[in-house]
């Protein structure tokens, strides 16, 4: 790499889905996603690419997407590289887009080969050369001929690799010989990252620098660990891990992406809706059932029966129908919890790692991870001591619904979701003064142990802090 050359991307990169709700960009779910993946072993995020449904976003939405993601990364305390996916068949229009986005908080661009028009190799070379001249930011070429209709061959690719700000390729040529030749001939500092999720392990063993993988929305740490094992020389361990993981890409690409990924994330509570924009359509009932079974299997439990006692997500949109009942239940127990107004409940639901209710308001739970924008002294006590955790802010059951196991169901849903998201600790507090012996016994039965205590609210209330390790 020459002194003026940009560093080449490597490792696991995530082409982030764009969450929608009722036809609009869902800012609350986006912040939740960014907070979650900021704590995962990804090396960068790519916005508005194919997985992010970038072709369905207007200019204002794309700018807002970038701004919210950048703000959420700052709030999460992690400086991840943020790249924007671009595509198009008019070089001039793309150059204007590069100029328009020059002031945005971006670190680079992933730019697909021109689609539909099928230019020559010389046309492709001149296209990317013009784009490289139009920006000082680094560019990754996205070579995916089965989507664009044109393949950027290795001779043109290697010529483009000589430009200081063309730093690599997302390799999806679907030609094993071409991929291997590129890995063999590429110059130092030119990255080859596979975009073929199902071929991730094989690409790494042949020398790829990492992957840009939509499937890494799920089992993120397992995808990252495969490369870590290979770099450490543990090929047998990496292969064993891949054999356990390889069904995930097959399931997530069984129907057009990103609908299966969004369904999975929705079921985990990371986004409030699995909504996609036309011409994409939601997953079929058959695939939805298959994804639900896969989630249940990875969580070590049977798929839940869809009955009245099953915990279901609380979303901001649902509050119009259920908010009054949830507020009434909460405020009837304000002494143990805290009083909530409608605006405060909505804010908490938007910030929550997990929000679940049973029935309209038989019981509900709100929990936050370490990156939440939350000023509770109990939450802050845990954040001062643990790098990662899920904090149970409140769980309550209506008097008429007690004795039916609702609290345990809510906790089991939380444990499973937290473990699936890579967390290893769930924490909470229980009042010491005034005492709550029933809650003490319940949490002890679930495996919580005391890790501290404190006086809060000027000494008017004393709480005991509990932690339960997962796994």
């Amino acid at each position: 790499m020459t002194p003026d050359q940009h560093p080449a991307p490597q490792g696991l990169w995530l082409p982030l889905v764009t969450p929608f709700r009722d036809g609009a960009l869902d800012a609350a779910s986006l912040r939740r996603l960014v907070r979650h993946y900021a704590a995962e072993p990804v090396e960068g995020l790519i916005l508005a690419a194919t997985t992010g449904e970038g072709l369905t976003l207007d200019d204002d939405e794309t700018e807002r997407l970038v701004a919210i993601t950048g703000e959420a990364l700052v709030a999460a305390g992690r400086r991840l590289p943020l790249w924007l996916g671009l595509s198009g068949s008019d070089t001039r229009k793309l150059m204007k887009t590069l100029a328009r986005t020059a002031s945005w908080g971006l670190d680079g661009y992933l730019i697909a080969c021109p689609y539909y028009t099928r230019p020559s190799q010389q046309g492709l070379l001149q296209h990317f050369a013009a784009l490289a001249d139009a920006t000082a930011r680094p560019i990754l070429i996205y070579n995916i001929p089965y989507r664009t209709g044109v393949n950027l061959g290795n001779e043109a690719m290697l010529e483009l690799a000589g430009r200081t700000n063309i730093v690599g390729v997302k390799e999806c040529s679907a030609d094993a010989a071409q991929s291997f030749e590129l890995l063999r001939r590429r110059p130092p500092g030119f990255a080859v990252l596979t975009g073929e999720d199902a071929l991730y392990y094989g690409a790494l063993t042949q020398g790829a620098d990492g992957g840009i993988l939509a499937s890494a929305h799920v089992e993120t740490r397992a995808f990252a660990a495969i490369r870590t094992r290979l770099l450490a020389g543990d090929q047998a361990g990496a292969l064993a891990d891949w054999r356990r993981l390889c069904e995930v890409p097959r399931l997530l690409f069984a129907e057009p992406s990103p609908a299966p990924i969004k369904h999975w994330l929705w079921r985990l509570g990371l986004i409030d809706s699995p909504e996609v924009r036309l011409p994409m359509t939601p997953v079929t009932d058959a695939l939805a059932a298959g994804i639900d079974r896969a989630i249940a299997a990875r969580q070590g439990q049977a798929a839940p029966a869809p009955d009245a006692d099953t915990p279901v997500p609380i979303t901001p949109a649902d509050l119009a129908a259920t908010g009054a009942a949830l507020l009434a239940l909460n405020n009837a127990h304000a002494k143990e919890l805290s009083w909530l107004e409608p605006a405060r409940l909505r804010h908490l639901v938007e910030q929550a790692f997990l929000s679940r209710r049973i029935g309209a308001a038989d019981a509900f739970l709100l929990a936050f991870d370490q990156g939440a924008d939350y000023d509770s002294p109990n939450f802050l006590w845990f954040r001062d001591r643990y790098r990662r955790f899920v904090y149970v802010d409140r769980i309550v059951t209506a008097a008429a619904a007690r004795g039916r196991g609702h609290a345990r169901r809510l906790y089991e849903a939380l444990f499973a979701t937290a473990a699936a998201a890579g967390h290893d600790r769930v924490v909470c507090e229980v009042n010491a003064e005034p005492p709550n012996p029933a809650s003490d016994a319940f949490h002890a039965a679930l495996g919580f142990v005391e890790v501290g205590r404190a006086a809060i609210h000027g000494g008017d209330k004393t709480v005991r802090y509990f932690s339960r390790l997962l796994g």
Side-chain angles (χ1 to χ4, degrees):
M1 187 172 73
T2 61
D4 57 346
Q5 197 169 9
H6 295 270
Q10 57 181 285
L12 182 63
W13 284 59
L14 191 68
L16 194 68
V17 299
T18 303
F20 301 120
R21 183 77 183 184
D22 299 326
L25 180 65
D26 183 354
S29 290
L30 177 60
R31 290 188 180 96
R32 191 180 308 125
L33 277 179
V34 175
R35 187 167 67 240
H36 170 74
Y37 290 113
E40 295 295 307
V42 296
E43 301 301 326
L45 299 176
I46 300 176
L47 303 179
T50 310
T51 307
E53 297 174 83
L55 290 173
T56 73
L57 299 172
D58 63 34
D59 291 346
D60 290 342
E61 287 176 318
T62 305
E63 184 172 8
R64 188 164 172 246
L65 175 70
V66 172
I68 292 171
T69 303
E71 292 165 1
L73 285 172
V74 171
R78 186 170 181 203
R79 179 65 180 91
L80 276 176
L82 198 59
W83 289 44
L84 182 65
L86 297 176
S87 60
S89 297
D90 185 331
T91 308
R92 297 170 307 160
K93 286 182 180 178
L94 279 173
M95 291 170 68
K96 290 177 181 177
T97 300
L98 293 173
R100 180 171 54 82
T101 60
S103 62
W104 296 6
L106 294 167
D107 298 288
Y109 300 98
L110 173 69
I111 305 181
C113 291
Y115 51 79
Y116 191 73
T117 52
R118 302 184 68 188
S120 67
Q121 294 298 296
Q122 186 62 30
L124 290 170
L125 198 157
Q126 292 185 28
H127 171 77
F128 280 108
L131 298 180
D133 287 341
T135 180
R137 288 176 174 146
I139 292 173
L140 269 175
I141 295 171
Y142 186 6
N143 191 30
I144 184 164
Y146 55 83
R147 287 186 185 269
T148 63
V150 65
N151 177 40
L152 180 60
N154 283 345
E155 295 306 321
M157 183 79 74
L158 292 167
E159 185 170 342
L160 290 167
R163 290 185 163 259
T164 57
N165 66 331
I166 294 184
V167 296
V169 60
K170 179 180 179 182
E171 166 54 26
C172 298
S173 69
D175 184 329
Q178 177 176 323
S179 298
F180 185 74
E181 182 192 27
L182 179 61
L183 285 164
R184 183 175 64 84
R185 295 178 58 194
R186 61 176 171 157
F190 186 79
V192 177
L193 288 86
T194 184
E196 297 288 357
D197 299 42
L199 304 180
Y200 175 57
Y201 171 79
L204 292 178
T205 61
Q206 291 185 350
D209 299 289
I212 301 173
L213 307 180
S215 299
H217 282 87
V218 175
E219 301 279 5
T220 312
R221 294 188 176 201
F223 276 100
I226 288 171
R227 180 171 182 266
T228 301
R229 283 186 179 276
L230 287 172
L231 290 175
D234 183 11
Q235 186 161 353
L239 179 58
D241 285 352
W242 179 242
R243 285 172 174 162
R244 288 190 290 270
L245 191 62
C246 65
E247 288 300 323
V248 171
R250 293 176 190 171
L251 190 61
L252 293 179
F253 285 89
E255 293 178 9
S257 179
I261 297 168
K262 283 190 162 183
H263 181 86
W264 194 308
L265 297 176
W266 171 64
R267 293 290 285 149
L268 290 182
L270 285 172
I271 57 177
D272 290 336
S273 168
E275 184 177 322
V276 290
R277 285 181 171 173
L278 285 170
M280 292 297 155
T281 55
V283 294
T284 60
D285 291 344
L287 182 56
I291 291 172
D292 291 349
R293 287 192 297 271
I295 293 171
R298 281 177 146 68
Q299 294 173 347
Q301 61 184 51
D307 58 32
D309 289 342
T310 299
V312 297
I314 305 169
T315 70
D318 295 332
L319 293 178
T322 63
L326 293 172
L327 280 171
L329 175 58
N330 181 90
N331 293 341
H333 298 82
K335 183 177 180 181
E336 301 90 356
L337 306 173
S338 63
W339 185 273
L340 291 179
E341 298 292 341
R344 181 65 170 170
L345 175 61
R346 173 174 288 275
H347 174 75
L348 294 182
V349 168
E350 290 175 344
Q351 286 288 314
F353 167 80
L354 185 87
S355 54
R356 292 289 186 270
R357 61 179 170 84
I358 296 177
D362 286 343
F364 79 92
L365 176 147
L366 292 177
F368 305 93
D369 68 13
Q370 69 287 334
D373 177 16
Y374 193 33
D375 57 2
S376 158
N378 297 317
F379 172 80
L380 296 175
W381 189 93
F382 287 110
R383 193 158 71 181
D384 286 342
R385 289 160 176 82
Y386 301 117
R387 187 180 67 85
R388 292 198 76 200
F389 61 89
V390 176
Y391 165 71
V392 180
D393 178 64
R394 61 195 66 220
I395 179 169
V396 60
T397 301
R402 289 176 186 161
R404 291 162 53 187
H406 286 347
R408 182 174 290 274
R409 286 189 189 91
L410 289 167
Y411 260 118
E412 287 172 350
L414 175 62
F415 294 153
T417 304
H423 285 281
D424 59 6
R425 183 186 303 272
V426 172
V427 299
C428 66
E429 83 276 350
V430 175
N431 290 343
E433 292 294 338
N436 193 340
S439 184
D440 287 345
F442 174 73
H443 285 89
L446 288 176
F448 284 89
V449 296
E450 185 174 347
V451 292
R453 60 177 61 204
I456 60 175
H457 304 319
D460 292 339
K461 186 176 182 180
T462 304
V463 295
R464 299 164 62 205
Y465 295 121
F466 288 84
S467 172
R468 181 193 191 272
L469 295 178
L470 303 174

